Amino acid sequence: MNDMILLKPGELVLKGLNRHFFEDRLRANVARRLRSLGDFRITSVQSTIYVEPLSEDIDMEEAFRRCHQIFGIIAVCRAAACPKEKEAIARTAVEYLGEQLSRAKSFKVESKRSDKTFPMTSIQLSQYVGGVIGDAFPDLPADMHDPDLEVNVEIREQAAYVHAGGEPAAGGLPVGTCGRAVSLLSGGIDSPVATWMIARRGVQIIPVHFFSFPYTSELAKQKVLDLAKLLLPWCGRLTVEIIPFTHIQEEIRDKCPEPYFTLIMRRFMMRLSQEVALANGCGALVTGENLGQVASQTMEALRCTEAPLTLPVLRPLIGMDKEEIIRRARELGTFETSILPYEDCCTVFTPKHPRTRPTPEEVAEAESVLDVEALIKEALAGTERVQIKHES
Ligand code: ATP
Ligand code: MG
């Protein structure tokens, strides 16, 4: 049996002249994601991507599962290919969909011909295949209006394909088609969701994590690497940049007025992230910030924390409710890891009375006692890079 997978690209079909760029990237992303399972032929014809295994022993179940996590695809469908002859098509339908046909309460055959040289009309082909299925499953009634199982036959350029319909997939745009961004990844619930949302818009992500050893532990760092591992299938490639943050935090604690601790700390995070972004050709920063969630996420505080930047900050969660974010995190599978109780550097040296309506001028004044440039340079020099690898 010629078991294969059909992928339906999403928005990229709307991209007009750029379309080849999007399609090529999507095919390359699919190829990279499936490579460890064996050799595939991946082609696109008429807005469908065909994924055909080149050997019998390939785990197609796993290939199918992986295709659900590739951005740029809105539907995935397992199918069987066969020669464009009516007998072969009917036989393939009976064999390939046999299990589903034997469980179904009713069925219908739906045929499509994009190869108009095929000698039967769609209706004739559906009737023929329906007749053969009816003979093979005499207790299974046909139902043209509300069938339990729809048997799809597609006559295309290279072959005929038989399948029982597709499933919704990840949507979005192929990673790598919308540039690169640095994502500030803490161990919390929000930032993994934010990272995923921006990756879904076709952005290649470079995660950055600020690490305040010994105030935050090795376990806290490992938690972030675990979160990155969960995001990897979606993001394609991930190398986490772990930036030492202890000295900066101690300097802030020792020299700055307490109500500004968090704001100044967050300005350092932004500046360091921007340095990483500029060094890696990124066009933006991504955070899990959410309006009004904490003192450092009021409008005034957001203005102060982004004031030292030239790059835009993308905050995909800005208007979401916590419940919605949690739901996303659960669907994504990051929630359980995010709620492990290891502390984040944001929770050390938190002020008792943080400024919630600061101005950029007063924050700049409060941090003016620090040698910002030297601290940034020192932290960047200590950066550790961890390439995240797939399980298999
Ligand atoms: P999260 O659940 O993502 O930790 P949060 O609601 O706890 O978010 P904050 O701790 O104020 O909010 O952090 C806001 C954002 O700043 C985070 O979403 C993340 O993007 C970034 N951030 C916070 N701490 C770190 C860190 N240690 N390393 C990298 N980024 C961080
Ligand atoms: Mg946090």
Side-chain angles (χ1 to χ4, degrees):
M1 189 79 58
N2 256 326
D3 197 357
M4 44 112 58
I5 299 170
L6 304 177
L7 307 175
K8 192 166 166 13
E11 288 173 45
L12 67 95
V13 297
L14 304 174
K15 293 284 169 193
L17 291 176
N18 272 342
R19 180 173 154 170
H20 285 297
F21 165 68
F22 283 80
E23 268 183 5
D24 290 351
R25 180 53 73 113
L26 180 54
R27 271 205 314 277
N29 290 354
V30 172
R32 181 147 38 82
R33 190 68 187 97
L34 299 185
R35 193 154 51 212
S36 62
L37 295 175
D39 290 333
F40 291 85
R41 179 166 44 228
I42 300 169
T43 46
S44 47
V45 186
Q46 294 161 336
S47 304
T48 301
I49 295 179
Y50 296 75
V51 180
E52 299 164 84
L54 295 178
S55 60
E56 289 288 320
D57 57 344
I58 286 181
D59 182 349
M60 291 299 283
E61 199 64 45
E62 174 63 11
F64 188 58
R65 198 188 64 75
R66 290 187 187 182
C67 288
H68 284 78
Q69 294 179 305
I70 300 171
F71 291 129
I73 297 168
I74 47 166
V76 288
C77 179
R78 283 187 78 167
C82 65
K84 291 193 278 187
E85 294 151 10
K86 66 177 196 233
E87 294 82 3
I89 294 169
R91 196 169 53 244
T92 302
V94 169
E95 285 171 15
Y96 182 65
L97 301 177
E99 216 184 287
Q100 289 173 68
L101 284 163
S102 61
R103 272 187 281 122
K105 295 188 183 60
S106 61
F107 83 106
K108 171 191 181 181
V109 179
E110 190 70 48
S111 303
K112 262 200 249 159
R113 293 181 324 153
S114 48
D115 172 10
K116 302 293 180 197
T117 64
F118 189 73
M120 295 166 98
T121 66
S122 300
I123 293 173
Q124 286 169 335
L125 180 59
S126 295
Q127 281 171 346
Y128 174 79
V129 175
V132 175
I133 292 176
D135 292 343
F137 299 89
D139 298 332
L140 178 66
D143 181 343
M144 294 303 122
H145 301 292
D146 187 24
D148 185 29
L149 180 73
E150 188 170 284
V151 175
N152 295 275
V153 177
E154 295 186 27
I155 310 289
R156 302 236 187 169
E157 207 71 33
Q158 317 97 305
Y161 301 93
V162 174
H163 62 84
E167 292 174 8
L173 295 168
V175 167
T177 58
C178 280
R180 274 183 233 173
V182 159
S183 185
L184 287 77
L185 190 62
S186 70
I189 297 167
D190 302 334
S191 48
V193 176
T195 304
W196 181 85
M197 286 175 76
I198 295 300
R200 192 173 60 163
R201 296 312 300 164
V203 177
Q204 176 86 52
I205 298 287
I206 300 178
V208 158
H209 179 66
F210 300 97
F211 183 49
S212 289
F213 192 77
Y215 303 106
T216 64
S217 64
E218 281 296 327
L219 286 170
K221 176 161 114 186
Q222 188 53 48
K223 175 180 168 181
V224 171
L225 297 176
D226 290 345
L227 286 169
K229 189 163 242 174
L230 293 169
L231 293 168
L232 180 63
W234 306 95
C235 294
R237 270 178 245 226
L238 286 178
T239 298
V240 184
E241 305 234 352
I242 297 170
I243 303 182
F245 208 52
T246 314
H247 188 208
I248 290 175
Q249 287 199 280
E250 287 174 341
E251 282 280 296
I252 297 172
R253 177 199 60 190
D254 294 344
K255 297 184 178 162
C256 298
E258 188 183 297
Y260 297 97
F261 280 1
T262 308
L263 288 164
I264 296 173
M265 179 195 78
R266 298 200 53 74
R267 280 158 70 95
F268 271 95
M269 285 188 178
M270 293 296 202
R271 287 189 182 101
L272 285 161
S273 301
Q274 176 165 273
E275 291 299 321
V276 175
L278 294 174
N280 288 281
C282 299
L285 308 182
V286 180
T287 73
E289 287 167 315
N290 175 250
L291 197 59
Q293 196 184 78
V294 288
S296 58
Q297 294 173 26
T298 63
M299 269 190 264
E300 293 81 356
L302 293 176
R303 179 175 177 214
C304 291
T305 50
E306 71 179 26
L309 300 179
T310 53
L311 289 182
V313 184
L314 308 181
R315 301 182 175 95
L317 311 187
I318 197 73
M320 286 169 79
D321 276 358
K322 193 74 188 181
E323 280 312 307
E324 292 174 71
I325 301 170
I326 289 175
R327 196 177 338 119
R328 275 285 168 83
R330 281 189 197 279
E331 286 164 9
L332 199 54
T334 52
F335 183 76
E336 297 303 326
T337 304
S338 288
I339 59 173
L340 293 173
Y342 312 120
E343 63 300 315
D344 181 61
C345 64
C346 285
T347 54
V348 287
F349 315 138
T350 44
K352 278 190 227 48
H353 302 290
R355 282 281 289 151
T356 51
R357 294 183 177 280
T359 64
E361 295 71 29
E362 69 187 68
V363 184
E365 169 67 26
E367 79 183 5
S368 64
V369 288
L370 304 176
D371 187 346
V372 173
E373 213 167 299
L375 286 169
I376 298 259
K377 216 164 153 194
E378 178 196 315
L380 289 174
T383 300
E384 178 195 355
R385 288 180 190 82
V386 182
Q387 193 188 348
I388 307 297
K389 301 242 167 67
H390 287 287
E391 291 296 342
S392 51

